């Protein structure tokens, strides 16, 4: 009986938002908490969960196979087959497939977070690119930064977490290990496979 009651409530929630201009490709496979909110012209693809205090702006496409919890998503952004919790996502951001955004993450406009990336407790500047197979934790990434495939911010020394700062326009080569605490200057670069243990000066 409890399951039937919940199914009825979920139907009412979905119908409310579809009446208000949200498109659901397969409504029966979409799960939305009563506390979530949408603007018009949002598209929700199958097998997607919109949970907690999530807010999704107009023009967004969410899913398929995405989970958003307590997250704000800016206009015209996409989250494909990814899990996002406690984040603020700007306009025209693309996430996924198969990425995880953990709490206390801010992603500014026009950022691309590609396949199998994980981000936590970090700020990502506008127009930056985190392509695939990367971990960005406890970091401040500037504008127009390229994070190469397989990059890891080595934030934990076995006792404490440390912060990584990457300046505007920097190019982080594939397979770089950025051993925090560390600062990569503006427009600086690291070579593929580099293990970086000291600050890198700006190349301005």
């Amino acid at each position: 009986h409890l399951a039937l009651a919940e199914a009825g409530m979920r139907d009412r929630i979905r119908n409310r938002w579809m009446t208000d201009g949200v498109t659901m490709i397969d409504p029966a496979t979409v799960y939305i908490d009563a506390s979530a909110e949408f603007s018009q012209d949002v598209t929700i693809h199958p097998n997607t969960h919109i949970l907690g205090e999530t807010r999704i702006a107009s023009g967004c496409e969410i899913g398929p196979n995405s989970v958003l919890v307590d997250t704000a998503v800016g206009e015209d952004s996409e989250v494909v087959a990814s899990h996002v919790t406690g984040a603020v996502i700007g306009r025209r951001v693309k996430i996924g497939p198969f990425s995880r955004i953990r709490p206390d993450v801010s992603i500014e406009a026009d950022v691309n977070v590609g396949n199998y990336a994980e981000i936590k407790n970090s700020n990502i500047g506008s127009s930056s690119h985190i392509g695939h197979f990367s971990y960005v934790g406890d970091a401040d990434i500037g504008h127009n930064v390229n994070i190469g495939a397989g990059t890891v911010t080595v934030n934990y020394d076995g006792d404490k977490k440390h912060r990584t700062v990457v300046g505007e326009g920097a190019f982080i080569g594939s397979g770089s290990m950025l051993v925090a605490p560390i600062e990569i200057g503006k427009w600086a670069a690291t070579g593929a496979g580099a293990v970086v243990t000291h600050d890198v000066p700006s190349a301005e």
Side-chain angles (χ1 to χ4, degrees):
H1 290 164
L2 180 60
L4 290 173
E6 181 167 341
M9 178 60 73
R10 292 199 181 279
D11 277 342
R12 288 195 289 273
I13 292 170
R14 288 189 293 256
N15 288 334
R16 173 208 167 180
W17 288 114
M18 286 189 288
T19 300
D20 286 349
V22 174
T23 298
M24 299 182 196
I25 305 302
D26 184 3
T29 67
V30 174
Y31 296 82
I32 301 172
D33 279 356
S35 51
E37 292 189 5
F38 302 83
S39 297
Q40 292 184 341
D41 300 320
V42 170
T43 300
I44 309 297
H45 293 273
N47 303 319
T48 292
H49 294 66
I50 310 295
L51 309 177
E53 302 291 334
T54 296
R55 304 288 182 265
I56 300 178
S58 62
C60 290
E61 293 207 24
I62 310 298
N65 305 311
S66 290
V67 178
L68 275 65
V69 184
D70 296 329
T71 289
V73 184
E75 295 176 356
D76 301 315
S77 291
E78 300 177 18
V79 181
V80 180
S82 294
H83 196 296
V84 185
T85 301
V88 177
I89 297 168
R91 297 181 176 184
R92 300 178 301 277
V93 171
K94 294 184 178 181
I95 296 176
F98 311 120
S99 285
R100 184 181 181 201
I101 313 300
R102 292 166 58 190
D104 300 316
V105 168
S106 173
I107 300 176
E108 295 184 11
D110 301 304
V111 168
N112 181 69
V113 179
N115 310 336
Y116 302 102
E118 182 173 357
I119 306 173
K120 76 102 176 173
N121 190 28
S122 295
N123 303 302
I124 312 299
S126 61
S127 301
S128 289
H129 184 93
I130 304 172
H132 28 258
F133 305 108
S134 295
Y135 172 68
V136 176
D138 301 298
D140 297 299
I141 308 298
H143 307 296
N144 296 298
V145 171
N146 183 82
I147 303 292
T151 293
V152 174
T153 57
V154 186
N155 57 329
Y156 185 51
D157 64 5
D159 180 37
K160 296 180 180 178
K161 300 290 180 70
H162 300 281
R163 204 140 189 97
T164 296
V165 178
V166 180
E168 176 184 357
F171 185 94
I172 307 302
S174 295
S176 291
M177 302 290 112
L178 307 181
V179 183
I182 195 168
E183 182 169 353
I184 309 298
K186 293 181 179 181
W187 306 105
T190 68
V195 178
V196 186
T197 58
H198 301 284
D199 292 349
V200 178
S202 171
E204 287 184 298

